[in-house]
Amino acid sequence: MAQRDVILQGPPGAGKGTHAEYLKTHMSYTHLSTGDLLRAAVAKDSDLGKQAQGYMEAGELVPDDLVIDLVAERMEQFDCEEHFLLDGFPRTTAQAETLTAILETLDRERPLVINLVISDAEIVRRLAGRRMCPDCGTICNVHRDGLDIGDKCPQCGGELYRRSDDQPEAIHNRLEVYEQDSAPLIEYYQKRGQLVTVDAEQGQQQVSVELAELAQGRRPC
Ligand code: AMP
């Protein structure tokens, strides 16, 4: 079966970024992460970055119109041979409906939506231990890699830091926001027959391989 466009869904800390990295490396995917695009806009201090920063630091969602414009612009550049992997988008029903409309206009097949399921306790543990490389975006974790703030990135040597929205207060807020705004998307995609669920608490490699098989249609949905 043919490779499919994929949307990775799941709460913060479910491993969307880590598994997206695996799929990008092992399959031909164009990875589109709204979180990464927004962090880049903040780092550049662009107009979008200035508008998004406060929401991001508080663990709130950036307003739909800003994020939708960002994604729509990139989607229109997609080659029909190219497969996309969306991570962190859509996050609200309005975003999902707009995405559906954009894909219909572009005459693309419905993407496979993979929902990563994980308990709140494990989310808090992972997010509190997450460390990022500012230079290459590699995601590390204190619990898994034994690397902490100020240590060197294993990929490029950059100095690891903790995302401002991985502080305890923002983590709590992000989980509430997820329940309120993003959890309804699961029902939206279930009704459209696009959803498949994966246990994200298995080992990282096992989850990544399962996702790759689903994306290639080698595992029944
Ligand atoms: P992430 O890296 O996906 O966890 O995103 C980090 C932050 O960026 C989120 O907590 C939001 O503030 C913002 N963000 C990312 N994607 C979206 C989206 N699709 N809609 C609204 N805000 C977003």
Side-chain angles (χ1 to χ4, degrees), residues 3-109:
Q3 180 171 339
R4 291 184 63 179
D5 291 335
V6 167
I7 298 174
L8 285 182
Q9 277 291 326
K16 298 186 294 292
T18 301
H19 298 302
E21 229 14 80
Y22 178 95
L23 293 176
K24 198 171 72 172
T25 310
H26 292 83
M27 298 171 76
S28 55
Y29 271 114
T30 300
H31 178 204
L32 199 51
S33 154
T34 41
D36 286 350
L37 293 173
L38 290 166
R39 276 185 289 280
V42 171
K44 269 203 314 203
D45 205 22
S46 67
D47 283 348
L48 170 64
K50 287 192 184 102
Q51 293 179 76
Q53 187 168 18
Y55 295 101
M56 295 174 75
E57 283 176 357
E60 302 283 345
L61 292 185
V62 173
D64 280 341
D65 53 343
L66 296 180
V67 184
I68 287 171
D69 283 355
L70 192 65
V71 174
E73 198 181 304
R74 181 62 189 87
M75 285 270 158
E76 275 154 22
Q77 296 160 14
F78 272 126
D79 193 298
C80 56
E81 299 295 314
E82 200 176 350
H83 287 285
F84 67 74
L85 174 63
L86 277 178
D87 145 23
F89 185 92
R91 258 181 160 102
T92 63
T93 307
Q95 291 179 14
E97 285 168 349
T98 308
L99 177 63
T100 298
I102 294 173
L103 296 178
E104 278 168 8
T105 314
L106 297 175
D107 209 16
R108 291 189 82 100
E109 221 189 305

Side-chain angles (χ1 to χ4, degrees), residues 31 34 51 74 86 89 100 106 126 129 131 133 139 157 159 162 164 168 175 179 184 192 221:
H31 178 204
T34 41
Q51 293 179 76
R74 181 62 189 87
L86 277 178
F89 185 92
T100 298
L106 297 175
R126 286 188 189 178
R131 306 291 179 256
C133 174
I139 305 168
E159 194 172 310
R162 183 186 205 177
S164 57
L175 289 181
E179 271 312 311
R192 294 173 54 84
C221 295

Side-chain angles (χ1 to χ4, degrees), residues 83-154:
H83 287 285
F84 67 74
L85 174 63
L86 277 178
D87 145 23
F89 185 92
R91 258 181 160 102
T92 63
T93 307
Q95 291 179 14
E97 285 168 349
T98 308
L99 177 63
T100 298
I102 294 173
L103 296 178
E104 278 168 8
T105 314
L106 297 175
D107 209 16
R108 291 189 82 100
E109 221 189 305
R110 288 183 178 188
L112 178 67
V113 181
I114 305 180
N115 183 29
L116 298 170
V117 177
I118 177 170
S119 67
D120 280 1
E122 179 62 10
I123 291 172
V124 171
R125 195 183 80 89
R126 286 188 189 178
L127 290 182
R130 179 160 70 180
R131 306 291 179 256
M132 300 274 296
C133 174
D135 300 331
C136 71
T138 291
I139 305 168
C140 299
N141 199 289
V142 171
H143 310 301
R144 186 190 59 211
D145 311 309
L147 293 170
D148 211 337
I149 298 164
D151 287 339
K152 300 254 176 282
C153 166

